[in-house]
Structures are given as structure tokens and as C-alpha cells.
Amino acid sequence: MNYISNILFAILLTVGTGFFVKNIKKIIRNIKLGKDINRSNDSKLRWKNMAMIALGQSKMVKRPIAGILHIFVYVGFVILNIELLEIIIDGLFGTHRVFSSLGLPYTILISSFEILAAIVLFTVIIFWLRRNVIQLKRFVSSDLKGWPKSDANYILYFEIVLMSLFFLMNASDIHQQMQIPEAFPISKYIFPVFSNLNHGTVEILEKLFWWMHITGILIFLNYLYYSKHLHILLAFPNTYYADLNAKGKFDNLESVTKEVKLMMDPNADPFAAAPIDENSVPSKFGASDLMDLNWVQLMNAYTCTECGRCTSACPANQTGKKLSPRKIMMDTRDRLVEVGNNIDSNNGVFVTDNKSLLNDYISVEELWACTTCNACVEECPVNISPLSIIMDMRRYLVMEQSAAPMSLNAMMSNIENNGAPWQYNQMDRLNWKDEY
């Protein structure tokens, strides 16, 4: 009978991890749909950012209450997963609490797990109340309805169930193994529930809770692919590959830079750097769809936690304009998932669907509402940059479609004709001095 149980566990573990790996490969493939960009410079600073922001949660605590609560869940999640090692060994080889032979260190470890699990359970309940009872403004916005709202709650329910099963598994095992209840500081209070049951019934319940716990963990692992909680995994590479340039620095297009240099140096040979390939497709200015964005921007979309800190700090959003930086990232991810499904349905090849990120997901009104203040970038706890996507799409509107707002067109005309944004002739620039 034990062999059958071990085989069933091995099958469950193989299927669960296999499905997870398959979906992770899809995510990597989808991210690689973006343009290449070099983010390998200054590796020392990048490692520091990853350690401080992703591991150390340094940006989370800018909002102390939510930040500290999140750290409790994060630390508990990481440390409690150490328990998985024992569960996997027990499941594969038919042992029971294989590490219990360690004695006192094991008792201390299990006690620590229980205290952490209790903190996680308490914190998750507070998070649920913040979203569903208190209803903080950033959690009830129009861009967080339907699936995004349900997804956030599903994760909280998952964690509540997993922590509860952990306590039930331990409480029933205290009875079965006749271990000292004091070694289980939380589940010992559940222990009396099983005290009046016979040994066989408690043994069955302990096995049931054990199987439900490990199955729940594997389901949770694979649910991440469909959830905003991919940031559990992607926060680390996302912070490592984040832009290290000063906020507000605008990247220059190489093709435009080359033309400007040629204009400034009439003697330069335009064909010296690289000969023109007659068969090459002309470079597209800006971005109208996913393939025009770079791979870091696409990874940003998958990493978005939908916490709404960016939108709550956005001055355009605060004044009632349509822009929501969170929605920009959510729309980009939705389009990315749509394109990925298209590729899956067509044997690995993208078939044109007559849709694009611009207009079908993100409106022109949203793009031009942005003040480029970088508040969204500054606030994001995992270094996502909605602004970079906004600016690339603006660049497309201006340089490919000549679709800039009237005020911006007037400014650019003034710069072209007068060498300044204002509608004054260059000869009149110093007229102000005559007033003094």
C-alpha cells in the first residue's frame, strides 16, 4: 500500500512541476518577443538593487503598514517552503517526518514554522479586509474589476486554506505520533479536537490533510502562471534588469542620431559606418504593439503586482484624467497573453489578428494624459516603468502617424522655425531687456 502511495505522489509531483515548467517556458518565449536591449552594464549595482528591492523589500516599506504586512507574508512564504523538502522526501520514500530524528533543532524549526504560519494567516486576513471591507481606493478603481479583483482574492483564499491545512496536519499528527504538544505552539490548541477520535480515524485525517496540503501547494504553484502573483518569481530578474539611467533620461533612436550627426558634419560619409541593405525592412519609430517594445518592458508587464501604488501617485489620475499607469501594465500583459495564445494555436507562429496594443488596449487619450513626471516609476515596489511604454507609444504617434496634439505640433513648429518652443522670432528674443 505504501508503494502505491509513493507512486501516486511521484506522479502528482511530476505532473505538477512539469506543467509549471511548461508554462514558465511560455512566459520566457513571450518575453523574448520583445526587441533586444542590453542591460548587462554595472552588474554590481544590479545585484545590489535586486538584493535591496526584491529580496529586502526596501521600496515596500515606503508605505509602512502595507509594507511591513507584506514582509510578514513574504518571509513566511519563503521559510515555510523549507517544509516542502521534508514533504517531498516523505512522499517519495514513504517516511514520516524524516527530519524529526534531528531532535531539538527539528522541534525549534517546526515551532518557528507554526509561528510564521500564524502571522501569515493573520496578515492575509487583514489584506482581505483592506480589499473587501475597508475597500481602499486603489483596490476599487475601474481598472481593477472582474478578473483582476477576483484574482487578488483567490490568492488570499489559497493562502488561508494552505495555512489552515498546515495547522490541521500538525494537530492530527501530534495525536498520531504522541509527540509533545508544546512543540507545536499553534496547532496544540487544535489538538483537543482529535483527542476523542480513535487512532485509525486520526491517522486517516492526518494523511488527508497531508495530501490536501501538498496538492494545494502544487495547484498554487501552477496558478501563478494565470495570476498577477508571478511577481513572486519575476521580481528578482525585473529589479536586476531595471534601467539604471537617471529617471527622465530619454533614449535616442540610433537611426535618428546618425542622421543628426550627418547633418552636423557635411563631410561625413553616410555609407562608411554600415552599407545600406536594400532588402532590409526600415526601422519602425516607437511602438504600436508588443513586438515594438523591448523584452524588459514585456517582463515588466508580467511582473506587475497590480498594487496600484503607481496609479495612486499619478498626478494625471488624481485630477480625473483617464490615465492609470497600472492599467497600462495590465493592458500590456493582456495583449501579451493574447499574442502568446495566438502562437500556441498556430503551431508556434503568430498569425496577424488585426489587433494592436495601441487603440485596441491603450487609447491615445491615456497616452497624452501622462505628464512624464516619473511618479509611477518611483513608487513601483519592483522597479516597473509604465512611463517607458507610454513614451515609446507616443513616439510612434508623433513619428509614424504625425498624430501629436495641436499644442505639441505648435511647439515643434516653433522649435523648427524659431529655435525655441515659443512663437517669437529669434531676433526678438532680447526685447524683454528694453523694458528695464
Side-chain angles (χ1 to χ4, degrees):
M1 187 67 181
N2 284 338
Y3 289 115
I4 295 176
S5 178
N6 297 346
I7 291 171
L8 288 175
F9 179 82
I11 293 172
L12 176 67
L13 186 64
T14 301
V15 171
T17 54
F19 190 67
F20 174 73
V21 170
K22 178 183 176 182
N23 286 332
I24 289 298
K25 287 181 178 179
K26 284 185 181 181
I27 291 173
I28 295 172
R29 178 205 64 192
N30 291 352
I31 289 174
K32 287 183 176 179
L33 294 174
K35 289 182 176 180
D36 189 31
I37 185 172
N38 186 5
R39 290 286 173 85
S40 60
N41 64 310
D42 204 344
S43 60
K44 184 177 180 180
L45 180 56
R46 293 186 180 281
W47 281 109
K48 179 183 177 182
N49 284 345
M50 186 174 73
M52 293 292 294
I53 299 170
L55 187 63
Q57 307 278 289
S58 61
K59 295 184 75 174
M60 283 295 300
V61 293
K62 287 185 176 181
R63 301 190 183 192
I65 295 176
I68 292 171
L69 291 175
H70 188 274
I71 288 175
F72 285 154
V73 175
Y74 168 71
V75 172
F77 176 84
V78 172
I79 295 179
L80 282 170
N81 278 325
I82 299 174
E83 173 214 12
L84 279 178
L85 180 60
E86 183 179 56
I87 289 178
I88 291 172
I89 294 174
D90 286 346
L92 290 175
F93 299 102
T95 54
H96 184 79
R97 294 194 179 267
V98 66
F99 295 143
S100 60
S101 59
L102 295 174
L104 181 60
Y106 182 77
T107 301
I108 294 173
L109 195 62
I110 291 297
S111 299
S112 301
F113 287 168
E114 289 224 337
I115 293 171
L116 279 172
I119 293 173
V120 169
L121 185 59
F122 174 75
T123 304
V124 167
I125 292 172
I126 292 178
F127 280 153
W128 186 87
L129 291 172
R130 280 160 54 89
R131 284 182 175 273
N132 299 281
V133 179
I134 300 174
Q135 293 191 333
L136 296 181
K137 184 178 179 181
R138 61 192 173 102
F139 296 140
V140 293
S141 301
S142 59
D143 59 346
L144 206 62
K145 293 181 179 179
W147 168 251
K149 181 177 180 179
S150 300
D151 175 38
N153 282 326
Y154 291 158
I155 287 292
L156 297 178
Y157 297 144
F158 257 121
E159 292 175 343
I160 290 172
V161 170
L162 288 176
M163 294 304 103
S164 300
L165 286 170
F166 176 71
F167 291 131
L168 289 170
M169 180 179 71
N170 283 348
S172 58
D173 197 44
I174 294 173
H175 185 284
Q176 180 187 348
Q177 301 298 318
M178 299 304 292
Q179 297 183 42
I180 302 173
E182 283 69 22
F184 299 85
I186 307 300
S187 57
K188 71 178 182 181
Y189 294 105
I190 308 173
F191 169 69
V193 174
F194 303 99
S195 60
N196 295 324
L197 301 177
N198 62 60
H199 181 81
T201 301
V202 175
E203 185 176 359
I204 291 172
L205 287 173
E206 191 274 335
K207 284 295 181 184
L208 177 63
F209 296 142
W210 186 91
W211 277 99
M212 290 175 68
H213 185 60
I214 185 60
T215 303
I217 289 173
L218 289 173
I219 292 173
F220 177 82
L221 180 68
N222 284 285
Y223 179 73
L224 293 180
Y225 172 72
Y226 305 96
S227 168
K228 66 167 188 163
H229 279 70
L230 266 174
H231 74 270
I232 293 173
L233 305 175
L234 292 180
F236 294 91
N238 197 78
T239 50
Y240 181 85
Y241 290 110
D243 191 359
L244 298 181
N245 289 317
K247 291 181 177 64
K249 182 178 180 181
F250 194 62
D251 63 307
N252 296 317
L253 291 176
E254 185 179 349
S255 56
V256 175
T257 301
K258 179 181 176 181
E259 292 298 322
V260 172
K261 288 181 177 179
L262 289 173
M263 291 171 62
M264 296 179 68
D265 184 6
N267 298 319
D269 182 359
F271 304 105
I276 297 177
D277 182 359
E278 295 181 356
N279 298 318
S280 65
V281 178
S283 178
K284 184 177 182 180
F285 296 127
S288 63
D289 207 354
L290 292 178
M291 288 71 164
D292 305 322
L293 299 172
N294 64 59
W295 65 267
V296 174
Q297 291 169 317
L298 300 188
M299 183 168 64
N300 279 182
Y302 270 129
T303 310
C304 179
T305 70
E306 297 177 13
C307 65
R309 292 187 178 205
C310 54
T311 296
S312 67
C314 175
N317 186 271
Q318 290 174 6
T319 55
K321 292 183 174 62
K322 195 174 180 179
L323 174 64
S324 166
R326 172 171 59 189
K327 180 180 177 295
I328 297 293
M329 301 314 302
M330 292 167 65
D331 287 342
T332 303
R333 181 175 60 214
D334 289 345
R335 175 58 177 161
L336 187 51
V337 170
E338 182 180 51
V339 169
N341 292 338
N342 181 310
I343 294 172
D344 291 335
S345 302
N346 294 285
N347 300 316
V349 178
F350 176 70
V351 176
T352 302
D353 58 2
N354 297 317
K355 291 183 180 180
S356 68
L357 185 60
L358 179 63
N359 295 322
D360 288 305
Y361 284 86
I362 300 173
S363 68
V364 173
E365 180 184 351
E366 292 173 80
L367 296 175
W368 289 115
C370 178
T371 66
T372 68
C373 68
N374 268 291
C376 57
V377 184
E378 182 66 31
E379 284 294 314
C380 180
V382 287
N383 278 16
I384 291 170
S385 177
L387 180 60
S388 68
I389 295 176
I390 292 172
M391 294 307 294
D392 281 349
M393 296 183 78
R394 277 186 177 183
R395 177 178 269 163
Y396 172 82
L397 289 171
V398 173
M399 302 185 73
E400 292 280 348
Q401 295 191 333
S402 300
M406 187 179 298
S407 57
L408 186 58
N409 279 328
M411 181 198 72
M412 290 188 290
S413 295
N414 289 333
I415 290 175
E416 182 179 359
N417 297 322
N418 304 323
W422 304 281
Q423 196 172 1
Y424 298 107
N425 188 287
Q426 294 186 42
M427 301 298 295
D428 297 331
R429 283 186 181 178
L430 295 178
N431 286 353
W432 61 272
K433 67 179 175 50
D434 295 333
E435 299 178 7
Y436 298 92

